[in-house]
Amino acid sequence: MRIIYLILSFLLVFIIGFIFSSDRRNIKAKPIIVMIVLELILSWILLNTIVGIGLIDAISDWFNALMNTAVKGVDFVFGGLENEPGATFFINVLLPIIFISILISFLNYIKVLPLIIRCIGLILSKINGMGRFTSVAGK
């Protein structure tokens, strides 16, 4: 049943992309197929091997540490407000999101995030044979 859902979801995405495409004749099937195969291979490696599961655990631990840092910062600034009615959503959800957004903006400002995106785009362009800009941002 999972295979049927997978195939139907791929078909739905292709149909939606085909319907909304402004240049249907220039759709290249080879890069799409290459990227789907790469996605399936990476998914299998990350979800079914010890190395993949360890990598996902390490990334998860890093994000948990980052969120714990955000929560400690919020507790430091707004220490006694968690008992106020209505303040729970603001303190527990919105302020950590603001912290993560600021962190992402800072990484963008010091040019770390664009470097990571360029490197991933370069790797993807070598794999699928498309240009670097197309691999990262689309047309």
Side-chain angles (χ1 to χ4, degrees), residues 6-26:
L6 177 71
I7 293 170
L8 288 176
S9 64
F10 279 142
L11 285 174
L12 180 66
V13 169
F14 287 137
I15 290 169
I16 291 171
F18 187 78
I19 289 172
F20 290 105
S21 176
S22 61
D23 194 8
R24 292 185 182 111
R25 293 183 184 173
N26 287 329

Side-chain angles (χ1 to χ4, degrees), residues 7-121:
I7 293 170
L8 288 176
S9 64
F10 279 142
L11 285 174
L12 180 66
V13 169
F14 287 137
I15 290 169
I16 291 171
F18 187 78
I19 289 172
F20 290 105
S21 176
S22 61
D23 194 8
R24 292 185 182 111
R25 293 183 184 173
N26 287 329
I27 295 175
K28 298 177 183 175
K30 182 184 174 193
I32 295 171
I33 293 170
V34 167
M35 294 306 290
I36 288 173
V37 169
L38 178 66
E39 181 180 357
L40 292 173
I41 291 170
L42 281 175
S43 299
W44 186 84
I45 290 171
L46 289 174
L47 297 174
N48 295 317
T49 64
I50 295 172
V51 174
I53 293 171
L55 180 65
I56 290 175
D57 284 340
I59 292 170
S60 174
D61 291 343
W62 183 77
F63 274 107
N64 282 334
L66 190 63
M67 288 305 295
N68 288 336
T69 303
V71 168
K72 287 179 185 176
V74 169
D75 286 341
F76 175 73
V77 175
F78 299 103
L81 288 179
E82 60 266 359
N83 295 328
E84 296 286 327
T88 305
F89 179 76
F90 174 73
I91 291 175
N92 293 337
V93 177
L94 294 180
L95 290 178
I97 289 173
I98 291 170
F99 172 76
I100 300 298
S101 299
I102 291 170
L103 181 64
I104 290 171
S105 297
F106 178 72
L107 290 174
N108 191 31
Y109 177 75
I110 63 171
K111 308 292 188 222
V112 171
L113 204 55
L115 177 67
I116 293 170
I117 292 170
R118 275 196 304 271
C119 290
I120 292 172

